[in-house]
Amino acid sequence: MVQVTLFLLVLSLALVAPSLSARKCVLTGRWTNDLGSNMTIGAVNGKGDFAGSYHTAVSATTNEIQVSPLQGSQHRTNQKSQPTFGFTVNWSFSDSVTVFTGQCFMDEKGKEVLKTMWLLRSHVDNIKNDWKATR
């Protein structure tokens, strides 16, 4: 009886494991980062393009923070299960733009996680101040 139970458990795990690894990480939806910023990504079209909005929780400006539009693209080759992507946020409340690049992962618990890096470019009055415009 113990051998049969063990066999059934192993068989069950063998049948379930492929479906866990086959799950795809999907960008579409609402995302919240560690600082409390919120991003919503709409449907990704057949070319990999998407649009959405970003509401940051942090800012270096004294202007009132507003929801800002984003435009992006997901890498579509072979319909990867953990795709790379990039998007640009044109901040509605400041003279700056941020570009993000990253990858969508499925963690060991099956949760979708975005890992990104960003680069922010702020407006400066002249070329002499160019050095302080990018973070």
Side-chain angles (χ1 to χ4, degrees), residues 3 6 8 11 13 15 20 28 30-33 38 44 46 48 57 67-68 71 86 92 101 106 109 113 124:
Q3 291 176 336
L6 182 59
L8 290 175
L11 181 59
L13 289 174
L15 293 173
L20 289 177
T28 301
R30 184 178 161 101
W31 299 89
T32 302
N33 72 11
N38 295 297
V44 179
V67 175
S68 300
Q71 294 285 324
S92 300
T101 187
M106 297 296 292
K109 295 179 183 175
V113 177
V124 291

Side-chain angles (χ1 to χ4, degrees), residues 7 12 36 50 53 64 83 86 100 113 115 117 120-121 124 130:
F7 174 73
S12 296
F50 60 87
S53 61
E64 180 182 346
F100 293 79
V113 177
K115 289 294 188 176
M117 296 291 290
L120 180 135
R121 177 65 188 212
V124 291
D130 181 62

